[in-house]
mmCIF file of all heavy atoms in Angstrom:
data_model
loop_
_atom_site.group_PDB
_atom_site.id
_atom_site.type_symbol
_atom_site.label_atom_id
_atom_site.label_comp_id
_atom_site.label_asym_id
_atom_site.label_seq_id
_atom_site.Cartn_x
_atom_site.Cartn_y
_atom_site.Cartn_z
ATOM 1 N N ALA A 139 -9.627 -5.200 12.402
ATOM 2 C CA ALA A 139 -8.524 -4.267 12.169
ATOM 3 C C ALA A 139 -7.276 -4.692 12.926
ATOM 4 O O ALA A 139 -7.338 -5.391 13.944
ATOM 5 C CB ALA A 139 -8.941 -2.864 12.580
ATOM 6 N N GLY A 140 -6.127 -4.273 12.424
ATOM 7 C CA GLY A 140 -4.849 -4.531 13.084
ATOM 8 C C GLY A 140 -3.828 -3.529 12.606
ATOM 9 O O GLY A 140 -3.930 -3.009 11.483
ATOM 10 N N ASP A 141 -2.816 -3.237 13.431
ATOM 11 C CA ASP A 141 -1.929 -2.124 13.096
ATOM 12 C C ASP A 141 -1.197 -2.311 11.771
ATOM 13 O O ASP A 141 -1.048 -1.370 11.004
ATOM 14 C CB ASP A 141 -0.956 -1.831 14.234
ATOM 15 C CG ASP A 141 -0.152 -3.039 14.687
ATOM 16 O OD1 ASP A 141 -0.383 -4.150 14.169
ATOM 17 O OD2 ASP A 141 0.700 -2.876 15.584
ATOM 18 N N TYR A 142 -0.738 -3.511 11.463
ATOM 19 C CA TYR A 142 -0.055 -3.706 10.181
ATOM 20 C C TYR A 142 -1.017 -3.520 9.004
ATOM 21 O O TYR A 142 -0.598 -3.243 7.886
ATOM 22 C CB TYR A 142 0.568 -5.103 10.106
ATOM 23 C CG TYR A 142 1.707 -5.324 11.072
ATOM 24 C CD1 TYR A 142 1.792 -6.495 11.809
ATOM 25 C CD2 TYR A 142 2.708 -4.371 11.241
ATOM 26 C CE1 TYR A 142 2.834 -6.724 12.698
ATOM 27 C CE2 TYR A 142 3.757 -4.569 12.130
ATOM 28 C CZ TYR A 142 3.814 -5.754 12.859
ATOM 29 O OH TYR A 142 4.855 -5.963 13.744
ATOM 30 N N ALA A 143 -2.299 -3.709 9.256
ATOM 31 C CA ALA A 143 -3.299 -3.601 8.190
ATOM 32 C C ALA A 143 -3.988 -2.237 8.168
ATOM 33 O O ALA A 143 -4.882 -2.031 7.334
ATOM 34 C CB ALA A 143 -4.351 -4.701 8.356
ATOM 35 N N PHE A 144 -3.585 -1.299 9.029
ATOM 36 C CA PHE A 144 -4.286 -0.017 9.088
ATOM 37 C C PHE A 144 -4.371 0.695 7.732
ATOM 38 O O PHE A 144 -5.422 1.238 7.380
ATOM 39 C CB PHE A 144 -3.645 0.906 10.115
ATOM 40 C CG PHE A 144 -4.042 0.620 11.545
ATOM 41 C CD1 PHE A 144 -3.312 1.148 12.602
ATOM 42 C CD2 PHE A 144 -5.143 -0.177 11.831
ATOM 43 C CE1 PHE A 144 -3.665 0.881 13.922
ATOM 44 C CE2 PHE A 144 -5.499 -0.450 13.142
ATOM 45 C CZ PHE A 144 -4.754 0.082 14.188
ATOM 46 N N PRO A 145 -3.303 0.749 6.930
ATOM 47 C CA PRO A 145 -3.444 1.419 5.627
ATOM 48 C C PRO A 145 -4.485 0.742 4.731
ATOM 49 O O PRO A 145 -5.195 1.423 3.984
ATOM 50 C CB PRO A 145 -2.038 1.317 5.023
ATOM 51 C CG PRO A 145 -1.135 1.205 6.210
ATOM 52 C CD PRO A 145 -1.903 0.371 7.191
ATOM 53 N N VAL A 146 -4.583 -0.574 4.817
ATOM 54 C CA VAL A 146 -5.597 -1.295 4.049
ATOM 55 C C VAL A 146 -6.979 -1.033 4.649
ATOM 56 O O VAL A 146 -7.944 -0.748 3.929
ATOM 57 C CB VAL A 146 -5.290 -2.804 4.024
ATOM 58 C CG1 VAL A 146 -6.373 -3.570 3.278
ATOM 59 C CG2 VAL A 146 -3.922 -3.054 3.390
ATOM 60 N N ASN A 147 -7.074 -1.106 5.981
ATOM 61 C CA ASN A 147 -8.350 -0.820 6.648
ATOM 62 C C ASN A 147 -8.843 0.588 6.305
ATOM 63 O O ASN A 147 -10.029 0.784 6.000
ATOM 64 C CB ASN A 147 -8.199 -0.927 8.163
ATOM 65 C CG ASN A 147 -7.723 -2.280 8.663
ATOM 66 O OD1 ASN A 147 -7.095 -2.372 9.713
ATOM 67 N ND2 ASN A 147 -8.000 -3.332 7.912
ATOM 68 N N ASP A 148 -7.922 1.575 6.353
ATOM 69 C CA ASP A 148 -8.299 2.966 6.054
ATOM 70 C C ASP A 148 -8.858 3.079 4.641
ATOM 71 O O ASP A 148 -9.876 3.746 4.409
ATOM 72 C CB ASP A 148 -7.091 3.890 6.198
ATOM 73 C CG ASP A 148 -6.616 4.031 7.634
ATOM 74 O OD1 ASP A 148 -7.382 3.665 8.552
ATOM 75 O OD2 ASP A 148 -5.473 4.482 7.846
ATOM 76 N N ALA A 149 -8.196 2.435 3.703
ATOM 77 C CA ALA A 149 -8.617 2.532 2.305
ATOM 78 C C ALA A 149 -9.987 1.899 2.089
ATOM 79 O O ALA A 149 -10.789 2.396 1.289
ATOM 80 C CB ALA A 149 -7.576 1.877 1.399
ATOM 81 N N ILE A 150 -10.256 0.803 2.803
ATOM 82 C CA ILE A 150 -11.571 0.159 2.677
ATOM 83 C C ILE A 150 -12.653 1.082 3.199
ATOM 84 O O ILE A 150 -13.700 1.290 2.564
ATOM 85 C CB ILE A 150 -11.582 -1.187 3.421
ATOM 86 C CG1 ILE A 150 -10.614 -2.182 2.772
ATOM 87 C CG2 ILE A 150 -12.994 -1.770 3.452
ATOM 88 C CD1 ILE A 150 -10.395 -3.450 3.574
ATOM 89 N N VAL A 151 -12.412 1.673 4.372
ATOM 90 C CA VAL A 151 -13.407 2.568 4.971
ATOM 91 C C VAL A 151 -13.661 3.779 4.078
ATOM 92 O O VAL A 151 -14.799 4.262 3.968
ATOM 93 C CB VAL A 151 -12.933 3.004 6.375
ATOM 94 C CG1 VAL A 151 -13.836 4.106 6.923
ATOM 95 C CG2 VAL A 151 -12.920 1.816 7.328
ATOM 96 N N GLU A 152 -12.626 4.266 3.415
ATOM 97 C CA GLU A 152 -12.745 5.469 2.584
ATOM 98 C C GLU A 152 -13.255 5.173 1.176
ATOM 99 O O GLU A 152 -13.586 6.098 0.430
ATOM 100 C CB GLU A 152 -11.379 6.169 2.503
ATOM 101 C CG GLU A 152 -10.916 6.728 3.845
ATOM 102 C CD GLU A 152 -9.430 7.081 3.848
ATOM 103 O OE1 GLU A 152 -8.783 6.957 2.776
ATOM 104 O OE2 GLU A 152 -8.921 7.468 4.913
ATOM 105 N N HIS A 153 -13.339 3.905 0.805
ATOM 106 C CA HIS A 153 -13.718 3.567 -0.567
ATOM 107 C C HIS A 153 -15.206 3.857 -0.792
ATOM 108 O O HIS A 153 -16.050 3.470 0.020
ATOM 109 C CB HIS A 153 -13.431 2.094 -0.862
ATOM 110 C CG HIS A 153 -13.436 1.761 -2.322
ATOM 111 N ND1 HIS A 153 -14.592 1.568 -3.034
ATOM 112 C CD2 HIS A 153 -12.414 1.604 -3.203
ATOM 113 C CE1 HIS A 153 -14.280 1.294 -4.299
ATOM 114 N NE2 HIS A 153 -12.968 1.297 -4.427
ATOM 115 N N PRO A 154 -15.569 4.503 -1.876
ATOM 116 C CA PRO A 154 -16.974 4.890 -2.069
ATOM 117 C C PRO A 154 -17.906 3.725 -2.381
ATOM 118 O O PRO A 154 -19.129 3.861 -2.202
ATOM 119 C CB PRO A 154 -16.901 5.857 -3.263
ATOM 120 C CG PRO A 154 -15.650 5.467 -3.999
ATOM 121 C CD PRO A 154 -14.684 5.033 -2.938
ATOM 122 N N ALA A 155 -17.371 2.594 -2.854
ATOM 123 C CA ALA A 155 -18.244 1.494 -3.283
ATOM 124 C C ALA A 155 -18.087 0.235 -2.442
ATOM 125 O O ALA A 155 -18.707 -0.787 -2.746
ATOM 126 C CB ALA A 155 -17.970 1.167 -4.756
ATOM 127 N N ILE A 156 -17.264 0.290 -1.400
ATOM 128 C CA ILE A 156 -17.026 -0.889 -0.562
ATOM 129 C C ILE A 156 -17.264 -0.518 0.895
ATOM 130 O O ILE A 156 -16.809 0.533 1.366
ATOM 131 C CB ILE A 156 -15.593 -1.437 -0.742
ATOM 132 C CG1 ILE A 156 -15.390 -1.948 -2.175
ATOM 133 C CG2 ILE A 156 -15.310 -2.562 0.253
ATOM 134 C CD1 ILE A 156 -13.990 -2.461 -2.457
ATOM 135 N N ASN A 157 -17.961 -1.379 1.614
ATOM 136 C CA ASN A 157 -18.209 -1.174 3.042
ATOM 137 C C ASN A 157 -17.279 -2.041 3.876
ATOM 138 O O ASN A 157 -17.030 -3.203 3.542
ATOM 139 C CB ASN A 157 -19.659 -1.558 3.386
ATOM 140 C CG ASN A 157 -20.667 -0.734 2.626
ATOM 141 O OD1 ASN A 157 -20.575 0.495 2.604
ATOM 142 N ND2 ASN A 157 -21.622 -1.392 1.998
ATOM 143 N N TRP A 158 -16.777 -1.482 4.967
ATOM 144 C CA TRP A 158 -16.042 -2.265 5.955
ATOM 145 C C TRP A 158 -17.056 -2.913 6.902
ATOM 146 O O TRP A 158 -17.917 -2.241 7.452
ATOM 147 C CB TRP A 158 -15.094 -1.375 6.748
ATOM 148 C CG TRP A 158 -14.506 -2.056 7.964
ATOM 149 C CD1 TRP A 158 -14.937 -1.955 9.254
ATOM 150 C CD2 TRP A 158 -13.395 -2.953 7.984
ATOM 151 N NE1 TRP A 158 -14.163 -2.734 10.077
ATOM 152 C CE2 TRP A 158 -13.203 -3.368 9.333
ATOM 153 C CE3 TRP A 158 -12.536 -3.455 7.013
ATOM 154 C CZ2 TRP A 158 -12.198 -4.248 9.718
ATOM 155 C CZ3 TRP A 158 -11.521 -4.323 7.388
ATOM 156 C CH2 TRP A 158 -11.357 -4.719 8.731
ATOM 157 N N ILE A 159 -16.980 -4.235 7.058
ATOM 158 C CA ILE A 159 -17.878 -4.966 7.941
ATOM 159 C C ILE A 159 -17.035 -5.605 9.040
ATOM 160 O O ILE A 159 -16.418 -6.659 8.840
ATOM 161 C CB ILE A 159 -18.677 -6.056 7.186
ATOM 162 C CG1 ILE A 159 -19.369 -5.468 5.950
ATOM 163 C CG2 ILE A 159 -19.665 -6.728 8.127
ATOM 164 C CD1 ILE A 159 -20.507 -4.538 6.265
ATOM 165 N N GLY A 160 -16.973 -4.949 10.194
ATOM 166 C CA GLY A 160 -16.183 -5.476 11.301
ATOM 167 C C GLY A 160 -16.821 -6.700 11.924
ATOM 168 O O GLY A 160 -18.050 -6.776 12.069
ATOM 169 N N CYS A 161 -16.007 -7.681 12.278
ATOM 170 C CA CYS A 161 -16.481 -8.916 12.902
ATOM 171 C C CYS A 161 -15.816 -9.109 14.258
ATOM 172 O O CYS A 161 -14.894 -8.371 14.628
ATOM 173 C CB CYS A 161 -16.197 -10.110 11.995
ATOM 174 S SG CYS A 161 -17.131 -10.072 10.438
ATOM 175 N N CYS A 162 -16.273 -10.110 14.994
ATOM 176 C CA CYS A 162 -15.789 -10.320 16.359
ATOM 177 C C CYS A 162 -14.407 -10.947 16.394
ATOM 178 O O CYS A 162 -13.651 -10.757 17.345
ATOM 179 C CB CYS A 162 -16.777 -11.190 17.138
ATOM 180 S SG CYS A 162 -18.385 -10.409 17.376
ATOM 181 N N ASN A 163 -14.066 -11.759 15.413
ATOM 182 C CA ASN A 163 -12.726 -12.333 15.307
ATOM 183 C C ASN A 163 -12.488 -12.720 13.859
ATOM 184 O O ASN A 163 -13.405 -12.711 13.029
ATOM 185 C CB ASN A 163 -12.531 -13.523 16.261
ATOM 186 C CG ASN A 163 -13.512 -14.647 16.002
ATOM 187 O OD1 ASN A 163 -13.630 -15.144 14.887
ATOM 188 N ND2 ASN A 163 -14.235 -15.055 17.046
ATOM 189 N N GLU A 164 -11.255 -13.051 13.555
ATOM 190 C CA GLU A 164 -10.884 -13.290 12.163
ATOM 191 C C GLU A 164 -11.477 -14.578 11.608
ATOM 192 O O GLU A 164 -11.794 -14.654 10.409
ATOM 193 C CB GLU A 164 -9.354 -13.310 12.030
ATOM 194 C CG GLU A 164 -8.681 -11.974 12.266
ATOM 195 C CD GLU A 164 -8.355 -11.690 13.728
ATOM 196 O OE1 GLU A 164 -8.748 -12.507 14.593
ATOM 197 O OE2 GLU A 164 -7.697 -10.660 14.013
ATOM 198 N N LEU A 165 -11.615 -15.597 12.437
ATOM 199 C CA LEU A 165 -12.255 -16.826 11.965
ATOM 200 C C LEU A 165 -13.680 -16.521 11.509
ATOM 201 O O LEU A 165 -14.104 -16.926 10.419
ATOM 202 C CB LEU A 165 -12.267 -17.876 13.072
ATOM 203 C CG LEU A 165 -13.054 -19.157 12.759
ATOM 204 C CD1 LEU A 165 -12.405 -19.929 11.621
ATOM 205 C CD2 LEU A 165 -13.170 -20.030 14.014
ATOM 206 N N ASN A 166 -14.421 -15.797 12.329
ATOM 207 C CA ASN A 166 -15.787 -15.430 11.975
ATOM 208 C C ASN A 166 -15.827 -14.562 10.721
ATOM 209 O O ASN A 166 -16.717 -14.705 9.875
ATOM 210 C CB ASN A 166 -16.455 -14.696 13.127
ATOM 211 C CG ASN A 166 -16.734 -15.594 14.322
ATOM 212 O OD1 ASN A 166 -16.419 -16.769 14.307
ATOM 213 N ND2 ASN A 166 -17.313 -15.026 15.358
ATOM 214 N N ALA A 167 -14.864 -13.645 10.611
ATOM 215 C CA ALA A 167 -14.835 -12.756 9.448
ATOM 216 C C ALA A 167 -14.648 -13.546 8.160
ATOM 217 O O ALA A 167 -15.302 -13.275 7.143
ATOM 218 C CB ALA A 167 -13.719 -11.725 9.601
ATOM 219 N N ALA A 168 -13.771 -14.535 8.193
ATOM 220 C CA ALA A 168 -13.529 -15.339 6.992
ATOM 221 C C ALA A 168 -14.730 -16.233 6.688
ATOM 222 O O ALA A 168 -15.070 -16.458 5.519
ATOM 223 C CB ALA A 168 -12.261 -16.173 7.160
ATOM 224 N N CYS A 169 -15.395 -16.744 7.717
ATOM 225 C CA CYS A 169 -16.627 -17.502 7.488
ATOM 226 C C CYS A 169 -17.713 -16.604 6.909
ATOM 227 O O CYS A 169 -18.485 -17.021 6.038
ATOM 228 C CB CYS A 169 -17.123 -18.127 8.790
ATOM 229 S SG CYS A 169 -16.154 -19.538 9.383
ATOM 230 N N ALA A 170 -17.780 -15.373 7.398
ATOM 231 C CA ALA A 170 -18.760 -14.430 6.880
ATOM 232 C C ALA A 170 -18.489 -14.123 5.409
ATOM 233 O O ALA A 170 -19.422 -14.038 4.597
ATOM 234 C CB ALA A 170 -18.759 -13.143 7.698
ATOM 235 N N ALA A 171 -17.212 -13.972 5.051
ATOM 236 C CA ALA A 171 -16.865 -13.748 3.650
ATOM 237 C C ALA A 171 -17.266 -14.934 2.794
ATOM 238 O O ALA A 171 -17.691 -14.787 1.643
ATOM 239 C CB ALA A 171 -15.361 -13.482 3.526
ATOM 240 N N ASP A 172 -17.153 -16.135 3.350
ATOM 241 C CA ASP A 172 -17.587 -17.347 2.655
ATOM 242 C C ASP A 172 -19.095 -17.315 2.409
ATOM 243 O O ASP A 172 -19.575 -17.562 1.289
ATOM 244 C CB ASP A 172 -17.204 -18.567 3.497
ATOM 245 C CG ASP A 172 -17.603 -19.894 2.885
ATOM 246 O OD1 ASP A 172 -18.814 -20.176 2.788
ATOM 247 O OD2 ASP A 172 -16.703 -20.684 2.534
ATOM 248 N N GLY A 173 -19.866 -16.991 3.451
ATOM 249 C CA GLY A 173 -21.317 -16.907 3.284
ATOM 250 C C GLY A 173 -21.716 -15.830 2.297
ATOM 251 O O GLY A 173 -22.635 -16.015 1.491
ATOM 252 N N TYR A 174 -21.029 -14.695 2.339
ATOM 253 C CA TYR A 174 -21.284 -13.591 1.406
ATOM 254 C C TYR A 174 -21.023 -14.039 -0.027
ATOM 255 O O TYR A 174 -21.818 -13.768 -0.942
ATOM 256 C CB TYR A 174 -20.369 -12.431 1.786
ATOM 257 C CG TYR A 174 -20.491 -11.172 0.964
ATOM 258 C CD1 TYR A 174 -21.330 -10.138 1.364
ATOM 259 C CD2 TYR A 174 -19.725 -10.994 -0.193
ATOM 260 C CE1 TYR A 174 -21.414 -8.955 0.635
ATOM 261 C CE2 TYR A 174 -19.810 -9.825 -0.931
ATOM 262 C CZ TYR A 174 -20.648 -8.805 -0.518
ATOM 263 O OH TYR A 174 -20.727 -7.642 -1.237
ATOM 264 N N ALA A 175 -19.908 -14.753 -0.227
ATOM 265 C CA ALA A 175 -19.552 -15.208 -1.567
ATOM 266 C C ALA A 175 -20.563 -16.203 -2.118
ATOM 267 O O ALA A 175 -20.770 -16.282 -3.330
ATOM 268 C CB ALA A 175 -18.155 -15.829 -1.558
ATOM 269 N N ARG A 176 -21.210 -16.961 -1.243
ATOM 270 C CA ARG A 176 -22.245 -17.888 -1.707
ATOM 271 C C ARG A 176 -23.457 -17.141 -2.257
ATOM 272 O O ARG A 176 -24.193 -17.673 -3.083
ATOM 273 C CB ARG A 176 -22.666 -18.812 -0.557
ATOM 274 C CG ARG A 176 -21.580 -19.821 -0.180
ATOM 275 C CD ARG A 176 -21.911 -20.565 1.102
ATOM 276 N NE ARG A 176 -20.835 -21.452 1.496
ATOM 277 C CZ ARG A 176 -20.920 -22.789 1.551
ATOM 278 N NH1 ARG A 176 -22.065 -23.386 1.250
ATOM 279 N NH2 ARG A 176 -19.895 -23.521 1.912
ATOM 280 N N MET A 177 -23.644 -15.917 -1.801
ATOM 281 C CA MET A 177 -24.729 -15.090 -2.313
ATOM 282 C C MET A 177 -24.301 -14.278 -3.533
ATOM 283 O O MET A 177 -25.072 -14.111 -4.483
ATOM 284 C CB MET A 177 -25.219 -14.114 -1.222
ATOM 285 C CG MET A 177 -25.757 -14.771 0.044
ATOM 286 S SD MET A 177 -27.279 -15.712 -0.243
ATOM 287 C CE MET A 177 -26.627 -17.384 -0.224
ATOM 288 N N ARG A 178 -23.075 -13.758 -3.520
ATOM 289 C CA ARG A 178 -22.640 -12.801 -4.532
ATOM 290 C C ARG A 178 -21.677 -13.387 -5.569
ATOM 291 O O ARG A 178 -21.369 -12.726 -6.554
ATOM 292 C CB ARG A 178 -21.955 -11.619 -3.847
ATOM 293 C CG ARG A 178 -22.841 -10.794 -2.929
ATOM 294 C CD ARG A 178 -23.780 -9.889 -3.727
ATOM 295 N NE ARG A 178 -24.427 -8.904 -2.869
ATOM 296 C CZ ARG A 178 -23.962 -7.683 -2.623
ATOM 297 N NH1 ARG A 178 -22.841 -7.288 -3.177
ATOM 298 N NH2 ARG A 178 -24.622 -6.863 -1.827
ATOM 299 N N GLY A 179 -21.145 -14.574 -5.314
ATOM 300 C CA GLY A 179 -20.157 -15.158 -6.222
ATOM 301 C C GLY A 179 -18.733 -14.962 -5.770
ATOM 302 O O GLY A 179 -17.861 -15.796 -6.023
#
């Protein structure tokens, strides 16, 4: 999360079909999204 992204973060948390998955840093988060995409497309 980050202050400029709070409206986007809020919408993700409130979305009924999408989960927010917090990570330790942004590099890790993007790598995690890469691994997720290898499973889900």
Side-chain angles (χ1 to χ4, degrees):
D141 54 356
Y142 293 136
F144 280 164
V146 178
N147 302 152
D148 292 344
I150 295 170
V151 171
E152 294 165 4
H153 196 280
I156 295 178
N157 300 310
W158 169 262
I159 308 290
C161 294
C162 295
N163 59 54
E164 292 87 355
L165 173 65
N166 291 1
C169 287
D172 180 292
Y174 181 93
R176 290 170 184 245
M177 300 294 104
R178 296 284 192 92

